[in-house]
Amino acid sequence: MAGMAEKGTVKETIQIFARVKPTREETSKVYSVNNDEAAGASVEFVVPKDLGDGYVNNKLENYKFRFRRVFDQTAGQEEIFETIAQPVADRVLAGYNGTIFAYGQTNSGKTFTITGGARRYGDRGIIPRTLSYLYQHIIQDSTMVYTTHISYLEIYNNVCYDLLDRQLEACRLEDLPTVTIMHDSEQNIQLRNLSIQQSANEEEALNLLFLGDTHRMTAETLLNKASTRSHCIFTVYLCGRQPGSATVRRSKLHLVDLAGSERVNKMALGGQLLTEAKYINVSLHYLEQVIISLSESRAHIPYRNTLMTSVLRDSLGGNCMTTMISTISVDKTNLKESMSTCRFAQRVALIKNEAVLNEEEDPVLLIARLKRENQSLRDELAMVTGEPRQEQLTQDEIQKLEVQVKDFLDDTDPEATLALGTDLQKIHRCFTLLKTIVSGLRQQLNTIQEKLGRANGTGNELTPLSAVATAPDFIPLNRAVRGILTSEKEETEKTRDQDTTAQLNGPRLSMGKEEAFEIFMRDHEDRLTIEDNKAVLKQRYIEAKGLGVQVNKTRDSINELKKQLEMRRIQRADQDHPEEEEQDPVEAIILKQVEAEKKKFKSYIGDLKTLRTEIQHVQLLMERAKVKLQKDFKEWWSEETPGPQDSGAPSSLQTGRPSPNSKPSSPGRPGSGGHSLSYFPAHKQEPYSHLPSATDLRSFVPKIQTMQTPSGDRPASSHQRGGSVLELTPQLRDLSSIKPADYSIPLTGDSRIDDDILAFVRARQNLLQRRDTPQQ
Ligand code: ADP
Ligand code: MG
């Protein structure tokens, strides 16, 4: 309550931290970290002179950069959260705006730091930990009523996308709704068309985070990994007020994962940059301009040059407490970039922000409060001066009273009142109404307790908690996310105990595709993640069950002790020992035991809550890994089975041999997806729709050595009947891993099918030639 009066402004420079990403390289001679200096901390690099200019001489040079603190390779996620994010979260809870942004080159650990790793619960980053922390406080703080909202946006090519759109299963970034920025006359920005979703608790907030992350992942363009070139801003909006007060505090917390900074230095690559690279440069370039202008206290700060700096305007030299995390990699090849990151941070550290307590009177609440006060004063006055009425209440009045009582009960404000005036009849009527409601509730409560008592042995106040813990479905699966992520409705109905293959297959696949999927999945890196997490989940369920049993036991033991206590008191009352009345040693012992058991009980419940959060998080990690696997498979499948239905297939053909982990590497896309049509003869049907699907696969899967004839409705010897046999070029041999003895692709004799096969082989050759001729 005292905090409410502490109006204030906090002037503070942007806090800078550095985090060194773990590496296997021997780097002890290359850099050192010192956290014990009076002035804070520093990281020092020892590098050959002129590193990066291509010329390396034997002289070494030292570069030292100061930070508030430097986290070396072994620093864990919890430590990062506690040192960097928790103080910011505390300020946000107190009504100040906060921003934490990660800056560094691609692969230096920005996403790992801000969002977390995709594999383990322990790797969760600043966002989930901060959410946990915020909601814990919100629940515990009974002096304030809070509402929280969340938005998540991605800025790519200077276009802002809403990652929390629930309607879409976006395949491309362009499918996501775009957000536009409006500047009002006071230069405040407003984001149009950004969905800001209410999130009442940690679970809902986590769901939104994973929903956004999944959109972010699935919408990544095939060839240009958008995540390295886009900025993501996750924002928590907090609104708090004291019950009954009209003063509200609104604060915002931006958690920002910036695009890879490496491109800032590579702006002029012969004037042949692709659009997205250019925009990324521009956007981080302008961030640098904004930082420079601010650090030199220039009159004009070019915030409006890009969307990113517009959105983060408050965070940079404005009403916000801002923290920067410089993520650096100390691998030898990355030292130069890491030093630029540190240099940039030194500039950032000069920027002064001025955070003000965002407190205001809510006019609607204020009017409501004044009206209430006015009414109660009138009532008081009437009570003193007025005459009590004699006639009965009318039906209309009774109905109105019922509504009033209902509204009163529904009002969450603990200081809400029932304004009844001086009319005693009305007051009596309301008491009667309340009495009826309370006895109804009591009856219901009794019934519930009886039922619970029957199910659990006894019925008392501890039962519901343990029932929650032992119920098989104690953690509801994440419906919201599931519903959005899975394309088929039946998919959501599947139980999580089904085997991974079945779960991951999603919509029913054709035979060939199914085989392919199995092979694909066997080698996929995320399969291990999924299996590991499945094992973790199993283990946690067992633990939760075990804890549930403990909770029950403890509860029983508390009840037992209470009974003993009761008995003891009765006995003593019967025996009538007045001299011992003061202190009964037996009773004291029992009471002590009760206390001990209660303590245990509390700790079990605490453990259960922690388990709950972990289980939920791991489930979401699995969901995401699953979506990623499906996405990777789709991409791989469309690479290997070109057809008009697979947009983008030709461009992806150039990646050559199928490898589940192969990532398209060429940034240049030879034409748009629509091109694929031109490689095939113009059939009305899809070229492969009449081929048994198992066969399209076999030529590409390394394990299967020979090209098989189409099975089923065609005779096995059909290729001989057709007579023509196509010889594979050496490149194709290499591509399809067919043994030397099996270099031929048998044609079927069906001219349409053969046309397709030939067209396909031609298309492949074309692409291979293109691949061999280097593209600009
Ligand atoms: P960025 O977002 O900067 O491009 P990422 O956060 O994606 O980089 O990190 C690149 C890879 O390194 C990821 O596989 C990530 O899991 C791993 N990684 C990054 N930082 C750490 C760390 N501190 N500990 C363990 N792994 C890390
Ligand atoms: Mg990243």
Side-chain angles (χ1 to χ4, degrees):
M1 228 173 248
M4 210 60 174
E6 274 175 27
K7 273 200 184 261
T9 306
V10 180
K11 291 184 184 174
E12 211 178 61
T13 50
I14 295 183
Q15 307 288 317
I16 56 165
F17 293 87
R19 182 180 201 183
V20 182
K21 188 189 148 178
T23 174
R24 290 213 183 101
E25 271 183 31
E26 168 53 42
T27 49
S28 59
K29 293 205 180 74
V30 175
Y31 83 105
S32 62
V33 168
N34 188 347
N35 272 313
D36 302 320
E37 292 172 28
S42 68
V43 58
E44 189 166 353
F45 297 92
V46 184
V47 294
K49 208 173 179 188
D50 297 329
L51 174 91
D53 292 343
Y55 167 73
V56 179
N57 67 22
N58 290 330
K59 271 194 192 159
L60 293 178
E61 236 169 0
N62 289 33
Y63 296 88
K64 191 167 176 176
F65 302 99
R66 293 201 174 282
F67 288 91
R68 194 182 171 93
R69 188 158 161 201
V70 180
F71 295 90
D72 211 346
Q73 302 188 30
T74 50
Q77 297 285 65
E78 178 67 16
E79 191 185 354
I80 296 278
F81 166 74
E82 279 176 359
T83 318
I84 300 178
Q86 198 171 304
V88 180
D90 282 334
R91 298 279 178 80
V92 171
L93 282 165
Y96 295 89
N97 294 338
T99 296
I100 300 175
F101 70 93
Y103 182 97
Q105 70 181 121
T106 296
N107 236 352
S108 57
K110 294 181 298 296
T111 306
F112 188 86
T113 302
I114 297 291
T115 310
R119 295 181 179 204
R120 279 186 305 268
Y121 174 66
D123 284 347
R124 67 202 191 288
I126 285 178
I127 299 179
R129 284 174 201 266
T130 305
L131 289 173
S132 232
Y133 184 79
L134 288 176
Y135 282 104
Q136 218 174 324
H137 273 253
I138 289 171
I139 291 167
Q140 280 166 5
D141 184 359
S142 54
T143 65
M144 297 281 280
V145 183
Y146 286 99
T147 48
T148 44
H149 288 79
I150 281 170
S151 71
Y152 200 1
L153 55 86
E154 177 163 10
I155 301 175
Y156 180 70
N157 273 3
N158 214 27
V159 180
C160 198
Y161 299 95
D162 185 354
L163 288 173
L164 294 187
D165 185 71
R166 286 175 187 276
Q167 312 301 319
L168 274 165
E169 196 188 335
C171 297
R172 296 170 307 160
L173 205 56
E174 299 89 294
D175 295 338
L176 289 169
T178 55
V179 178
T180 49
I181 285 198
M182 312 283 292
H183 289 88
D184 68 15
S185 54
E186 287 160 22
Q187 294 300 307
N188 296 315
I189 63 150
Q190 276 164 7
L191 296 172
R192 274 260 193 97
N193 206 19
L194 175 69
S195 58
I196 297 183
Q197 315 244 5
Q198 181 155 15
S199 64
N201 52 44
E202 185 183 346
E203 184 174 348
E204 283 178 21
L206 259 191
N207 278 343
L208 290 171
L209 170 66
F210 275 78
L211 170 66
D213 275 346
T214 307
H215 272 328
R216 189 176 160 185
M217 179 186 76
T218 48
E220 220 167 50
T221 54
L222 188 63
L223 292 174
N224 304 309
K225 289 206 89 180
S227 64
T228 75
R229 291 152 192 254
S230 65
H231 318 285
C232 285
I233 306 179
F234 183 90
T235 309
V236 184
Y237 306 78
L238 207 62
C239 173
R241 69 181 175 91
Q242 287 177 349
S245 161
T247 313
V248 286
R249 286 178 178 177
R250 288 179 218 278
S251 47
K252 267 188 287 193
L253 172 61
H254 292 308
L255 300 168
V256 186
D257 187 353
L258 289 177
S261 60
E262 62 277 4
R263 287 172 184 83
V264 178
N265 297 321
K266 294 171 189 153
M267 270 195 74
L269 273 182
Q272 289 189 341
L273 288 181
L274 298 172
T275 340
E276 70 273 1
K278 193 171 81 197
Y279 272 116
I280 276 318
N281 284 341
V282 166
S283 138
L284 278 182
H285 171 74
Y286 280 118
L287 174 66
E288 201 160 3
Q289 293 306 306
V290 165
I291 302 285
I292 290 171
S293 310
L294 282 166
S295 64
E296 293 176 355
S297 307
R298 290 189 198 158
H300 174 69
I301 314 291
Y303 289 113
R304 287 175 70 163
N305 282 349
T306 62
L307 268 176
M308 189 255 286
T309 48
S310 295
V311 175
L312 292 179
R313 186 190 173 110
D314 258 351
S315 314
L316 306 165
N319 172 19
C320 189
M321 293 172 150
T322 302
T323 299
M324 167 185 179
I325 307 174
S326 320
T327 53
I328 57 184
S329 153
V330 288
D331 288 348
K332 290 197 180 63
T333 48
N334 292 330
L335 281 181
K336 190 171 173 255
E337 280 297 344
S338 298
M339 288 196 290
S340 336
T341 300
C342 291
R343 231 169 259 130
F344 180 69
Q346 309 300 299
R347 281 260 188 201
V348 172
L350 299 174
I351 295 173
K352 290 188 196 82
N353 277 5
E354 205 168 296
V356 294
L357 184 63
N358 299 301
E359 209 172 60
E360 61 188 27
E361 294 276 299
D362 184 324
V364 178
L365 291 176
L366 191 64
I367 291 169
R369 197 185 74 199
L370 291 177
K371 268 188 180 166
R372 264 204 315 269
E373 276 175 16
N374 189 6
Q375 187 58 45
S376 93
L377 286 174
R378 280 164 188 262
D379 292 346
E380 247 173 68
L381 201 64
M383 194 90 91
V384 178
T385 58
E387 294 277 307
R389 83 159 176 193
Q390 301 303 323
E391 73 274 21
Q392 294 289 305
L393 291 172
T394 66
Q395 204 53 38
D396 195 31
E397 279 173 320
I398 291 173
Q399 261 174 12
K400 270 195 188 136
L401 280 178
E402 284 173 0
V403 172
Q404 238 181 314
V405 168
K406 188 180 171 300
D407 289 347
F408 169 66
L409 290 175
D410 288 345
D411 195 337
T412 51
D413 187 345
E415 288 179 16
T417 52
L418 247 179
L420 296 172
T422 55
D423 192 333
L424 268 181
Q425 288 204 39
K426 279 189 182 172
I427 293 171
H428 287 315
R429 183 80 200 183
C430 280
F431 272 113
T432 317
L433 277 171
L434 285 169
K435 193 170 169 108
T436 323
I437 292 170
V438 170
S439 22
L441 284 175
R442 275 192 182 152
Q443 245 170 15
Q444 280 179 22
L445 195 64
N446 279 341
T447 328
I448 291 170
Q449 274 181 339
E450 263 171 37
K451 276 187 190 158
L452 278 174
R454 245 179 276 140
N456 279 297
T458 57
N460 67 31
E461 80 273 22
L462 303 179
T463 311
L465 276 173
S466 53
V468 167
T470 45
D473 220 354
F474 132 64
I475 309 298
L477 258 194
N478 222 307
R479 296 270 170 224
V481 170
R482 273 183 156 242
I484 295 151
L485 300 185
T486 50
S487 46
E488 307 261 301
K489 189 162 178 261
E490 58 184 22
E491 180 69 6
T492 53
E493 316 301 348
K494 282 187 181 161
T495 67
R496 49 179 169 271
D497 287 335
Q498 275 176 304
D499 114 73
T500 327
T501 317
Q503 256 194 42
L504 292 169
N505 272 342
R508 180 154 300 172
L509 301 173
S510 60
M511 252 310 284
K513 218 169 171 182
E514 215 165 277
E515 269 176 36
F517 188 78
E518 263 166 38
I519 293 163
F520 180 81
M521 203 184 67
R522 212 176 41 208
D523 298 336
H524 196 282
E525 52 182 358
D526 283 349
R527 181 195 148 99
L528 283 180
T529 306
I530 293 170
E531 306 243 306
D532 283 354
N533 280 332
K534 229 175 106 174
V536 169
L537 266 191
K538 225 179 205 166
Q539 186 54 34
R540 297 292 175 267
Y541 278 125
I542 294 170
E543 282 170 34
K545 272 219 166 109
L547 268 175
V549 173
Q550 295 294 343
V551 168
N552 273 335
K553 267 194 192 153
T554 321
R555 184 207 60 208
D556 289 348
S557 136
I558 294 173
N559 285 341
E560 187 51 41
L561 287 167
K562 278 186 178 164
K563 260 187 220 156
Q564 282 178 21
L565 202 63
E566 202 65 11
M567 295 272 282
R568 176 78 191 168
R569 283 177 183 162
I570 292 167
Q571 273 173 10
R572 278 171 53 78
D574 286 349
Q575 285 165 3
D576 198 20
H577 292 302
E579 71 280 8
E580 279 175 10
E581 215 148 71
E582 296 292 309
Q583 207 180 25
D584 172 18
V586 179
E587 186 176 326
I589 290 170
I590 299 178
L591 277 175
K592 233 183 186 162
Q593 285 173 337
V594 171
E595 274 321 300
E597 290 294 301
K598 275 191 179 166
K599 221 171 159 181
K600 265 200 317 205
F601 183 83
K602 258 198 178 155
S603 123
Y604 289 144
I605 293 295
D607 290 350
L608 263 179
K609 276 194 187 142
T610 313
L611 262 184
R612 208 185 116 107
T613 318
E614 177 170 356
I615 288 175
Q616 196 206 347
H617 193 99
V618 173
Q619 278 176 342
L620 288 169
L621 285 179
M622 279 178 68
E623 288 287 355
R624 200 168 55 182
K626 183 178 133 186
V627 175
K628 179 155 180 291
L629 190 54
Q630 277 174 344
K631 177 191 173 232
D632 289 351
F633 175 69
K634 245 196 216 158
E635 281 171 12
W636 177 71
W637 180 252
S638 68
E639 279 170 28
E640 301 313 330
T641 56
Q645 76 275 26
D646 298 311
S647 64
S651 67
S652 48
L653 267 173
Q654 61 183 320
T655 58
R657 278 175 76 112
S659 148
N661 294 323
S662 75
K663 299 229 163 63
S665 50
S666 160
R669 189 191 267 256
S672 70
H675 267 165
S676 59
L677 277 168
S678 62
Y679 295 123
F680 294 94
H683 286 320
K684 276 182 193 128
Q685 275 181 307
E686 294 176 345
Y688 285 92
S689 60
H690 50 287
L691 275 180
S693 54
T695 55
D696 1 8
L697 165 75
R698 299 221 162 100
S699 55
F700 308 115
V701 177
K703 206 182 113 201
I704 300 164
Q705 304 290 332
T706 49
M707 183 83 177
Q708 312 243 319
T709 48
S711 58
D713 53 342
R714 242 170 280 272
S717 60
S718 62
H719 65 292
Q720 286 160 353
R721 205 186 47 201
S724 47
V725 165
L726 179 96
E727 289 299 322
L728 280 179
T729 64
Q731 285 114 319
L732 278 172
R733 254 174 255 159
D734 180 42
L735 257 185
S736 53
S737 314
I738 296 172
K739 273 189 181 165
D742 307 309
Y743 284 166
S744 57
I745 288 186
L747 296 184
T748 61
D750 179 322
S751 66
R752 223 169 50 172
I753 298 173
D754 291 347
D755 276 352
D756 284 346
I757 295 176
L758 289 169
F760 167 67
V761 171
R762 268 199 305 277
R764 213 162 212 197
Q765 267 172 318
N766 277 345
L767 277 158
L768 283 168
Q769 273 160 12
R770 277 204 214 185
R771 196 181 60 162
D772 293 342
T773 352
Q775 290 165 33
Q776 44 84 19

